[in-house]
Amino acid sequence: QGAAELLYGMASIFASMQAEGEAMAYLRLALMLREDMTIARYMLAMLQEQAKDYDNALKNYEAIPKKDVLYRKAQLREAYVHAARKDK
């Protein structure tokens, strides 16, 4: 369990340095260890959205459960992704 949090922390550092590819790799590893780590899933979806990987971003936003505190934010981001896809 602590390893997933460490990987999430590393991903946050890489994301703050605009190293999105490295950040996404660490987030995927964190999610392999803890699929229920919604903060990692949300961050991964946001990075995928920024990279215009809309399909995967939507999958990750949609995977956030209704009871989670990030659910409403994820729904809002989903709406932005759908709008961005229509602009293509």
Side-chain angles (χ1 to χ4, degrees), residues 16-68:
S16 71
M17 297 174 6
Q18 281 84 40
E20 290 86 2
E22 290 84 353
M24 286 191 279
Y26 277 97
L27 290 166
R28 286 186 189 101
L29 288 171
L31 288 167
M32 287 173 68
L33 295 175
R34 270 196 55 204
E35 287 184 22
D36 65 337
M37 191 176 197
T38 55
I39 187 72
R41 188 168 302 283
Y42 183 80
M43 179 185 269
L44 177 59
M46 288 185 66
L47 292 170
Q48 290 167 328
E49 182 184 344
Q50 290 173 6
K52 297 187 182 356
D53 183 2
Y54 297 130
D55 291 336
N56 285 317
L58 280 174
K59 285 178 191 175
N60 279 304
Y61 286 135
E62 291 168 356
I64 296 174
K66 287 184 179 182
K67 64 179 171 36
D68 195 278

Side-chain angles (χ1 to χ4, degrees), residues 3 6 9 28 40 44 54 64 70 72 80 83 85:
L6 176 65
R28 286 186 189 101
L44 177 59
Y54 297 130
I64 296 174
L70 291 172
R72 291 196 190 274
Y80 286 125
R85 290 172 85 176

